[in-house]
Amino acid sequence: MNDDRMGAIAEYVRAHGEVRIDTLTNHFGVSRMTIHRHIERLAQQGVLRKLHGAVTAQPSSIYESLYAYRAQSEPEVKAALARAALSEITPGQAVALDDSTTATALGPLLAQAAPLSVITNSLALMQTLASVDDIALIAVGGDYAPTYNAFIGPGAEDALARLRVNVAICSASGIADGAALVQDGLVTRAKAAMLDAAERRVLLAASPKFGRIALNKLAPLSSFDAVYTDSRLADATARSLRDAGVALHIVEIS
Amino acid sequence: MNDDRMGAIAEYVRAHGEVRIDTLTNHFGVSRMTIHRHIERLAQQGVLRKLHGAVTAQPSSIYESLYAYRAQSEPEVKAALARAALSEITPGQAVALDDSTTATALGPLLAQAAPLSVITNSLALMQTLASVDDIALIAVGGDYAPTYNAFIGPGAEDALARLRVNVAICSASGIADGAALVQDGLVTRAKAAMLDAAERRVLLAASPKFGRIALNKLAPLSSFDAVYTDSRLADATARSLRDAGVALHIVEIS
DNA sequence: TGTTTGTAACATAACGGAGCGATAAATTCA
DNA sequence: TGAATTTATCGCTCCGTTATGTTACAAACA
């Protein structure tokens, strides 16, 4: 598929609410079949809903937590945050990484900090790190959640309770009232277990997450030893967070 | 790489013990660079050892347990055993699969028996099954062992102790004195934990494994509810096993 | 029932990646 | 130090994959 066009279709449909398929074929100048293939995949991912001859957008709250969607949103920001997170890691340490796509972006960079022990419940990270020499991969098992491409549930929590690491690097769905928030309850517990196992806690959060809410409270921002975000964060917000004792680090997007 | 030629090189070196690189370039009619690339990879896999201008074979006991080697040996036999194992599985059950390459061959077939819950410590199986709808994947975490492409160690054992499944399907490195044997100690414990968690235990073992020894004793053959092997097994062996109370099933290789 | 819309199957074109060789630089051995 | 060997890098070619369009047919609508 053409991912750019797929994204554009999603945008277009979200902007218009409901769109006829003919409109899409004209607008993008491709065949009807191609549009069909694209919207079929988007519907599978849960981004759109198919009607007869038209498509409608899903309520945004639903698909924003989808792995497939998150994986391709704002890759430059993720890359920048991942690079910053690398500075938190020293060769020889044990590092825990959660199932966030930002942490996934960190995977390929970890070889630079080898040797390391890496603990994760993210299947994507396992695949990336399995083949890397000098990285001891320790998997957290549990029930597989396709939505997050990760293992969660009581099994994951128990497995994490057995471990102790130098650093945990996590992300969150939103940040409000000085706390990191997560949409899914089981994911929250897994992240919390990861943080509990860590000597040092690092939060990676793209700036749009500030002010966005999610269902479950993970931990107060002040409980993190470092919080990284990008430079689009409003100055006033940054200042008030720092005043509240948050170790906020601003990363330039390159 | 050209896997056929890689295999041929491995064969050739094993047959001759030590071989000059020039000899290989002549014998295979490719450039020296290509030979270098191939033996470099084989050396990484632990199949060969590189000297200056020559390569030597590793003692066979070492590389026979390597995942990369096992993965491509006797694929038809594995496929036949996997197909047979499928008959042990009923839709709706919880199934545990170990890190054996035979179980890996079973992966793509499992969709036919969906819905299922599949428990495994094999990374290859996780990748295969993650994308299958109607299969609930439950991962066993632990320390990643590149040699087996699986997760083992105390973490894996604890995780398995939490679970209870209908069927466990395992393989072994060798079979002697009426018991299934496994080369690696930690793998043995993981397999044992898997068997302990199962109501019904199934062993898959290609016929050459009978009579071959390995370091650790996994379980007596009679403790398995079914043992599948291929039709090359000597009749006398089959008879004596059956007399000893082993539920032996012979599978035709197609 | 006719028209529109969805699905399936096949052909083709484009892209990316893998394998390979040639050459040059670096390393090792004697 | 000189020769042999190994590594690194570049570019070429070939193959497989993927995206796309075309066509034909099935299903849904009105």
Side-chain angles (χ1 to χ4, degrees), chain A residues 162, chain B residues 141-143 152-160 186 189:
Chain A
R162 301 181 66 259
Chain B
D143 301 339
I152 56 176
E157 293 160 32
D158 288 0
L160 283 163
L186 288 174
R189 298 186 56 155

Side-chain angles (χ1 to χ4, degrees), chain B residues 7 48 89 156 167 190 224 254:
Chain B
L48 305 178
I89 301 173
V167 196
F224 288 93
S254 54

Side-chain angles (χ1 to χ4, degrees), chain B residues 49-220:
Chain B
R49 245 179 309 199
K50 282 168 56 174
L51 312 180
H52 219 75
V55 286
T56 65
Q58 287 279 21
S60 68
S61 57
I62 292 181
Y63 71 77
E64 275 180 1
S65 64
L66 289 173
Y67 181 80
Y69 173 84
R70 287 181 298 137
Q72 52 192 25
S73 86
E74 301 200 311
E76 328 76 30
V77 180
K78 286 189 218 311
L81 289 172
R83 237 173 291 122
L86 203 57
S87 68
E88 293 281 341
I89 301 173
T90 313
Q93 285 187 325
V95 185
L97 299 177
D98 73 354
D99 57 279
S100 67
T101 52
T102 311
T104 306
L106 184 52
L109 306 178
L110 286 175
Q112 299 171 25
L116 288 174
S117 294
V118 178
I119 289 86
T120 186
N121 66 332
S122 154
L123 182 55
L125 272 173
M126 292 179 199
Q127 290 167 181
T128 306
L129 298 176
S131 57
V132 181
D133 291 341
D134 300 328
I135 291 198
L137 172 60
I138 298 165
V140 175
D143 301 339
Y144 178 69
T147 316
Y148 310 103
N149 198 28
F151 301 100
I152 56 176
E157 293 160 32
D158 288 0
L160 283 163
R162 299 180 68 259
L163 299 168
R164 190 80 196 150
V165 300
N166 297 107
V167 196
I169 297 178
C170 289
S171 189
S173 308
I175 292 172
D177 294 332
L181 308 170
V182 176
Q183 194 60 42
D184 186 282
L186 288 174
V187 173
T188 311
R189 298 186 56 155
K191 284 177 198 275
M194 212 170 255
L195 293 173
D196 283 347
E199 206 177 342
R200 186 174 167 82
R201 303 133 163 245
V202 176
L203 181 71
L204 306 178
S207 57
K209 295 193 171 163
F210 286 79
R212 183 185 298 173
I213 70 152
L215 205 55
N216 299 280
K217 187 168 165 182
L218 174 60

Side-chain angles (χ1 to χ4, degrees), chain A residues 48-88:
Chain A
L48 305 178
R49 247 179 307 198
K50 282 168 56 175
L51 312 180
H52 218 75
V55 287
T56 65
Q58 286 279 22
S60 68
S61 59
I62 292 182
Y63 70 77
E64 275 181 0
S65 66
L66 289 173
Y67 180 81
Y69 174 83
R70 288 180 298 137
Q72 53 192 24
S73 86
E74 302 200 310
E76 329 76 28
V77 180
K78 288 189 217 311
L81 288 173
R83 238 173 292 122
L86 203 57
S87 68
E88 293 281 340

